[in-house]
Amino acid sequence: MLRLRAWLFFSLLLLIGILLVGTAPSFQACLKQEQPQAAATAAPQSHGTTVLTARSTRECLTRFYTENRDDIVAGFALILLLSTIFLWFAARDLVAGTHDFAKMQLRAYLGPSETFITGVAAGEKPVVECTIRNFGQTPAHRVSYWADCRVLDSMADSFERGPPEGGERTVNPGRDGFTIKSRLPEPLTEEDMSKIKLGTSAIYFFGAITYRDAFARSRKTQFRFQHGGVRLFGTEDMTLSPKGNRSS
């Protein structure tokens, strides 16, 4: 991208230079003066006319440079100044892009690691346990979260935000982390169990984690897991929901 911008910039300068010289009154007058002479001395062959025309153009360019030397030098100085400014902006953008890329590589990334559910039975209140880890390379500060567990229709799209829990903490990269536990507020009924097994309903575990990275930027991870359907029923596994998972 930077190379393309440089080519476009210098091509534009070259085009402007050609237009300025080609439309200059003194250069046009010189060409008109040389053309009759070239026509008078040229042989009938077309290649001879071409050679004389090129020679006339070269002589007019030489005369134009001689008559406008100071202005041309000033123009080159202006071009050099503009080129320096362009290179400064290009270098600044390159450094900024590298700095942003380094931040993305080094920043903290908090998210769920292992998630499982126990106690899925009629008359029981299942418990979901989820381990949150830092998958980045720098600590996450002022970490807080909220989480909830509900039985909802499998097509549900309304998930209410719960109250924040756990206070604030720092989570370092690697094996450091913490566990979120969430219990279903009401015991499962036989009807709930039937719908969960068929997959028309599911036990949803959802929430959000907020924190600040090492570069003092606020970050947020939203997560949503579900348990239901023939594939998961009877196990402790939960799977990521198609929606409700994003990170910033």
Side-chain angles (χ1 to χ4, degrees):
M1 185 63 182
L2 182 60
R3 183 177 298 177
L4 176 61
R5 289 165 60 185
W7 275 110
L8 290 175
F9 176 76
F10 289 111
S11 298
L12 180 61
L13 290 179
L14 179 61
L15 179 61
I16 292 174
I18 293 174
L19 289 175
L20 289 175
V21 174
T23 58
S26 59
F27 183 75
Q28 292 293 330
C30 177
L31 287 179
K32 291 179 180 179
Q33 182 181 356
E34 293 289 339
Q35 282 175 356
Q37 298 177 10
T41 58
Q45 292 83 357
S46 60
H47 68 276
T49 305
T50 303
V51 170
L52 288 174
T53 302
R55 185 180 301 170
S56 300
T57 303
R58 185 181 62 186
E59 292 174 355
C60 289
L61 286 173
T62 303
R63 184 183 302 176
F64 179 83
Y65 172 75
T66 303
E67 294 175 352
N68 301 276
R69 181 179 301 175
D70 294 340
D71 294 337
I72 292 174
V73 172
F76 274 111
L78 179 60
I79 291 174
L80 182 61
L81 175 62
L82 294 176
S83 301
T84 303
I85 294 174
F86 171 80
L87 291 174
W88 183 85
F89 278 107
R92 185 198 62 176
D93 294 342
L94 180 62
V95 171
T98 304
H99 187 59
D100 292 340
F101 180 76
K103 283 185 177 181
M104 294 298 294
Q105 291 294 312
L106 296 174
R107 56 159 284 197
Y109 288 91
L110 286 190
S113 179
E114 302 88 11
T115 305
F116 61 91
I117 185 171
T118 56
V120 182
E124 298 291 335
K125 296 180 180 180
V127 176
V128 177
E129 294 190 29
C130 176
T131 302
I132 305 298
R133 299 198 187 280
N134 183 352
F135 298 97
Q137 300 186 44
T138 51
H141 304 282
R142 300 175 62 181
V143 179
S144 62
Y145 71 91
W146 67 268
D148 203 356
C149 187
R150 300 283 177 179
V151 176
L152 299 171
D153 185 86
S154 59
M155 302 299 292
D157 198 34
S158 178
F159 295 82
E160 297 182 359
R161 186 185 189 283
E165 302 177 24
E168 294 185 346
R169 69 188 76 195
T170 296
V171 180
N172 294 306
R175 301 299 298 176
D176 190 15
F178 61 95
T179 300
I180 299 175
K181 291 186 178 182
S182 184
R183 182 184 295 272
L184 203 66
E186 300 292 337
L188 292 172
T189 64
E190 292 291 348
E191 182 181 2
D192 290 333
M193 292 294 295
S194 177
K195 290 182 178 179
I196 292 170
K197 183 176 181 179
L198 292 173
T200 55
S201 292
I203 301 174
Y204 286 92
F205 171 66
F206 54 95
I209 310 162
T210 58
Y211 59 98
R212 293 177 71 87
D213 63 19
F215 306 99
R217 290 195 60 180
S218 297
R219 303 289 182 178
K220 184 177 183 179
T221 301
Q222 293 178 261
F223 58 87
R224 187 185 301 171
F225 291 84
Q226 64 187 68
H227 175 90
V230 176
R231 187 174 66 87
L232 294 178
F233 190 80
T235 70
E236 296 183 348
D237 297 334
M238 300 195 78
T239 185
L240 282 171
S241 298
K243 298 180 179 180
N245 297 280
R246 61 183 62 90
S247 179
S248 62

